[in-house]
Amino acid sequence: QVQLVESGGGSVQAGGSLRLSCTASGDVTSYNCLGWFRQAPGKEREGVAAIYTGASGGRTNYVDSVKGRFTISRDDAKHMVYLQMNELKPEDTAMYYCGADRRCGSWSFGYWGQGTQVTVSS
């Protein structure tokens, strides 16, 4: 089992920035991918960014709508993943969840946290 705890959400105006953090604990050897997905009210869940962890990790995936604005990074020693979000838009408003899985690519995560709310006002 992997436990994930997110932090860093909040309310900002359009054009602003936020940095989300996620700490993993438990069986941290059971995943090779950490990522973020989001869900807005009345909308389907959407994968946002993912990164491979470990010695051969570092490769990243992004959904097209955040490319050039969001950056995912990780600290394997601390079992943490971050999402730097710049140039935020109102359509980025959602609950953001941290996820973990053995592989990146499908935007499907076997473990996820409780989420942190991001609200962007125009």
Side-chain angles (χ1 to χ4, degrees):
Q1 291 289 327
V2 178
Q3 292 79 46
L4 300 163
V5 179
E6 306 94 338
S7 62
S11 297
V12 296
Q13 290 190 327
S17 298
L18 283 172
R19 188 190 192 213
L20 305 184
S21 299
C22 172
T23 303
S25 61
D27 187 5
V28 295
T29 64
S30 66
Y31 63 81
N32 296 301
C33 175
L34 290 172
W36 296 89
F37 62 94
R38 64 188 179 186
Q39 188 161 23
K43 295 188 177 181
E44 293 187 356
R45 190 175 76 172
E46 177 184 46
V48 175
I51 187 167
Y52 280 96
T53 61
S56 59
R59 187 155 42 99
T60 57
N61 295 333
Y62 295 95
V63 68
D64 286 346
S65 60
V66 307
K67 287 180 180 178
R69 300 189 297 123
F70 291 10
T71 302
I72 189 170
S73 60
R74 96 277 191 198
D75 185 330
D76 292 340
K78 296 181 179 179
H79 308 300
M80 295 188 71
V81 64
Y82 309 96
L83 186 67
Q84 178 66 44
M85 305 185 294
N86 299 328
E87 301 177 34
L88 282 161
K89 304 176 181 181
E91 50 263 44
D92 294 317
T93 295
M95 185 72 79
Y96 283 70
Y97 299 87
C98 174
D101 207 280
R102 290 200 175 277
R103 299 182 65 182
C104 295
S106 67
W107 300 119
S108 177
F109 299 98
Y111 302 99
W112 55 91
Q114 293 297 310
T116 186
Q117 179 67 39
V118 172
T119 302
V120 185
S121 58
S122 57

